[in-house]
Amino acid sequence: MNLVDQLDWSYWKRLSDKEKRTLFGQVLMYFVNPLLRITDIELKEYELYGIKCQTFELMIDDEEFVFIPGNKDAILGWNLGTKGLSLLETAPHSPHVRIPEELQNSYDLLDVHSLADYINDRTTSLRKVKIPPMFVQRFALPAGTNFLGIYDAVTGSFTGQADQFLVFEGEIREVLCPNLTPSESIRWSFPKSVLRENSWYIEMVPNSDLYHVYTHETHTYTTLRKKVRKRNFDLLTEDQWEYTNGAGSRRLFRWGNDLNTSDPYRGKKIRQMMTGLNMFGLSFDTAMERYEITEDPGVLKLTTSSLSTGLPIVDKLPLSTYYAPERTLLHEEFLKPSEYLYRKAIIVKI
């Protein structure tokens, strides 16, 4: 059995910790560019909705990555309509349901059969694919950025690559701690994000006084992909993205098929699974405010505009592993960090 065959999940999951370490060492030796700096390798186990994966997390050039074993027989896509979904919150006479006119002309979303057609039409087709082993970046980055660290807007402290942060620390402080009159102070609030093109970009961590700090370069899809490849990385294909998101499970969402977050007993657990790390230890955006780009500019994942129909399965569908936005990306379109995310990967190729 060759090295790549041993990296298939069906074989990998049967290996002992020692065998995994030996095999992983060979992967690093033969498939990772020696110019990349590898540190903090640790064997970890992740789990989501009963799917477990013991694998390695590591730092590659000071960025968090996770190794994902391959799968020669991965089943992706969705053709089950509403089968297995929780429809308890889609009462046909609910006063909170508001269906956009453009959808009313094509679907009756209060009818189960029409709703099933809508879900199938908005998700990728059922298919069997071969997924290679991959090193995948844990967090997707705003387009055109590289992560530097975390800035506390209250204390003014910074954790991360301090030498690079010092270059524009003064500018960031002025933005987040402006000189205001008493009346201006009453109306002022911390910005959600701030961009200084070709210099820096900051973005508030939800429900905190912290900001993620990034360097920024203006990029089109074409120039960003070239830069990613120049650094010995790739972008994920649609198949690879869907697999790293949901592990090929026959569920519409990576955490299962339940969207009843208002349930007093299970709602908290569902919200934690939605926003937490998945079965591979990866994090995916749940704000539904940005697309994540893939290797194909014609294929985007997630969304920038969510619906508010009052039907959870419709409003949250863009969070589905298999959701297929109708939006496409032009090669020379400039990518705003507030609208697009990208995720680097190293694909283990034969």
Side-chain angles (χ1 to χ4, degrees):
M1 180 179 291
N2 63 40
L3 177 57
V4 174
D5 288 338
Q6 296 178 69
L7 299 176
D8 190 80
W9 199 356
S10 61
Y11 185 87
W12 174 271
K13 64 185 179 182
R14 301 199 303 266
L15 298 176
S16 67
D17 291 2
K18 182 178 180 180
E19 290 170 328
K20 284 189 175 77
R21 293 182 188 280
T22 300
L23 190 57
F24 187 69
Q26 293 178 305
V27 175
L28 292 176
M29 181 183 303
Y30 294 114
F31 295 102
V32 178
N33 191 303
L35 297 178
L36 297 175
R37 191 163 66 94
I38 307 297
T39 57
D40 301 340
I41 301 173
E42 186 175 356
L43 184 62
K44 297 288 289 290
E45 181 170 277
Y46 299 101
E47 179 180 3
L48 183 64
Y49 210 81
I51 300 177
K52 296 181 180 180
C53 181
Q54 187 185 49
T55 188
F56 290 91
E57 63 178 26
L58 67 162
M59 301 291 286
I60 301 180
D61 281 356
D62 297 319
E63 296 180 307
E64 294 182 60
F65 280 76
V66 178
F67 176 71
I68 298 179
N71 191 325
K72 296 178 180 179
D73 301 301
I75 305 297
L76 303 175
W78 186 261
N79 68 344
L80 298 177
T82 59
K83 186 177 180 180
L85 305 183
S86 174
L87 303 177
L88 298 177
E89 297 178 75
T90 60
H93 302 295
S94 171
H96 302 296
V97 174
R98 298 287 185 273
I99 308 300
E101 185 175 345
E102 62 270 21
L103 292 183
Q104 291 180 21
N105 297 331
S106 303
Y107 304 94
D108 177 6
L109 297 182
L110 298 180
D111 174 78
V112 173
H113 298 292
S114 185
L115 179 61
D117 291 338
Y118 174 80
I119 294 172
N120 287 340
D121 291 344
R122 292 296 191 276
T123 49
T124 57
S125 59
L126 190 69
R127 61 207 188 275
K128 182 178 179 179
V129 299
K130 182 177 181 179
I131 301 297
M134 301 173 284
F135 295 84
V136 181
Q137 194 167 27
R138 171 165 284 156
F139 301 98
L141 299 175
T145 71
N146 285 300
F147 182 67
L148 288 186
I150 298 176
Y151 178 76
D152 190 317
V154 175
T155 66
S157 61
F158 176 79
T159 304
Q161 300 179 50
D163 54 338
Q164 294 189 55
F165 175 70
L166 285 173
V167 176
F168 37 74
E169 179 182 8
E171 294 181 31
I172 292 178
R173 287 184 182 275
E174 288 181 7
V175 169
L176 298 181
C177 302
N179 291 320
L180 303 173
T181 65
S183 60
E184 289 173 333
S185 299
I186 295 174
R187 298 187 299 271
W188 191 85
S189 60
F190 285 114
K192 183 177 180 181
S193 64
V194 181
L195 171 65
R196 292 289 184 269
E197 289 193 5
N198 294 311
S199 184
W200 55 267
Y201 175 70
I202 59 174
E203 192 170 271
M204 179 181 279
V205 178
N207 304 313
S208 75
D209 297 316
L210 305 177
Y211 280 85
H212 286 158
V213 181
Y214 307 86
T215 58
H216 176 263
E217 291 180 348
T218 300
H219 279 289
T220 64
Y221 172 82
T222 300
T223 61
L224 179 62
R225 185 168 63 171
K226 285 182 179 177
K227 182 177 180 180
V228 168
R229 289 178 172 175
K230 188 176 181 180
R231 293 188 59 203
N232 302 299
F233 294 103
D234 288 294
L235 297 174
L236 297 172
T237 66
E238 181 175 40
D239 288 346
Q240 292 163 359
W241 192 97
E242 290 188 2
Y243 184 74
T244 59
N245 183 284
S249 69
R250 303 315 310 134
R251 303 184 183 101
L252 190 56
F253 302 91
R254 60 183 175 276
W255 62 85
N257 289 335
D258 202 338
L259 292 170
N260 193 7
T261 57
S262 60
D263 184 280
Y265 300 102
R266 298 167 56 210
K268 182 178 180 180
K269 183 177 181 181
I270 294 172
R271 289 192 295 272
Q272 289 174 339
M273 289 193 294
M274 289 172 63
T275 59
L277 300 179
N278 75 347
M279 62 284 290
F280 293 129
L282 301 180
S283 175
F284 290 88
D285 185 69
T286 57
M288 292 189 289
E289 296 176 348
R290 284 186 283 204
Y291 293 110
E292 187 169 328
I293 67 175
T294 70
E295 178 63 22
D296 182 353
V299 175
L300 295 170
K301 307 306 287 186
L302 305 178
T303 187
T304 59
S305 57
S306 58
L307 297 174
S308 298
T309 66
L311 300 172
I313 190 59
V314 174
D315 297 343
K316 299 295 185 182
L317 190 61
L319 297 181
S320 167
T321 299
Y322 307 116
Y323 180 70
E326 297 178 333
R327 171 87 160 82
T328 59
L329 188 62
L330 299 176
H331 279 268
E332 301 308 318
E333 180 177 341
F334 285 101
L335 304 176
K336 296 180 180 180
S338 59
E339 294 181 7
Y340 295 98
L341 299 165
Y342 78 107
R343 189 186 304 262
K344 298 191 289 290
I346 297 174
I347 312 301
V348 176
K349 302 173 182 177
I350 301 176

